[in-house]
Amino acid sequence: MGQSLMQFYVHLTFSTKNRAVMIGEEIENELFAYLGGACHNANCPPLAVGGYRDHVHILCRLDKNTLIPNLIKKLKVSSSIWIKTKTPASDQFAWQDGYGAFSVNPSEVDTVVRYIQNQKEHHQTRSFQDEYLAFLKKYKVEYDERYLWR
């Protein structure tokens, strides 16, 4: 085989430090666009970017030369710097250290896109913690809850 080919879709999610409500309506669309651009610049084309008040979700195609921890670091560092320039109240902005990264079957991409696009409605009845725990269970990720929210 003369060519190395792959297609991986990854659903990334991470929250603000201590899940503080820091993503206000006045900046959320710009933040989501910024994160999408950062994914694009990392050769990981975004299919959907969204979130709600204390967290974000990103669905992107993972580039064959990109490691997920490196992508997450780029996204968090650059967006944190960017967001601190937007409003005086944002000078304390920070992302939490951890993140979730889940592989997505190509047949489920449209479902995940809709899920990300409907975050505001979804979070009228469910917290980010409950949402994240459901993802961990769905994807059978082992975790120690003592360290999950630090």
Side-chain angles (χ1 to χ4, degrees):
M1 181 175 295
Q3 198 174 19
S4 299
L5 303 171
M6 62 167 258
Q7 182 89 309
F8 288 116
Y9 296 98
V10 62
H11 179 179
L12 307 171
T13 187
F14 47 92
S15 71
T16 57
K17 189 169 187 169
N18 299 316
R19 289 157 317 285
V21 175
M22 299 287 292
I23 303 170
E25 289 183 0
E26 70 280 0
I27 63 162
E28 68 183 6
N29 289 332
E30 277 187 274
L31 174 62
F32 302 154
Y34 182 91
L35 288 166
C39 285
H40 183 75
N41 290 341
N43 296 317
C44 296
L47 285 80
V49 180
Y52 187 68
R53 299 173 24 165
D54 63 351
H55 70 285
V56 296
H57 292 267
I58 300 167
L59 175 63
C60 64
R61 268 196 347 250
L62 192 63
D63 178 74
K64 66 182 177 182
N65 296 313
T66 300
L67 298 173
I68 291 172
N70 294 349
L71 174 61
I72 293 285
K73 183 176 181 178
K74 284 179 188 178
L75 295 174
K76 285 183 174 183
V77 168
S78 67
S79 64
S80 182
I81 292 168
W82 174 84
I83 205 167
K84 288 177 181 180
T85 68
K86 299 313 282 179
T87 65
S90 298
D91 64 343
Q92 299 298 312
F93 184 87
W95 295 112
Q96 191 159 333
D97 289 337
Y99 62 88
F102 309 100
S103 60
V104 175
N105 185 312
S107 67
E108 294 294 316
V109 165
D110 291 340
T111 301
V112 176
V113 167
R114 281 191 303 277
Y115 181 84
I116 291 172
Q117 291 171 339
N118 291 313
Q119 283 292 292
K120 282 185 183 179
E121 294 80 17
H122 178 73
H123 285 291
Q124 299 306 307
T125 58
R126 190 177 214 183
S127 70
F128 173 67
Q129 288 104 317
D130 290 341
E131 174 185 53
Y132 192 67
L133 286 170
F135 277 124
L136 296 176
K137 290 175 185 166
K138 176 183 178 179
Y139 289 100
K140 297 180 171 70
V141 176
E142 292 182 21
Y143 62 93
D144 186 335
E145 198 156 357
R146 293 176 296 172
Y147 306 108
L148 197 55
W149 306 116
R150 293 182 184 201

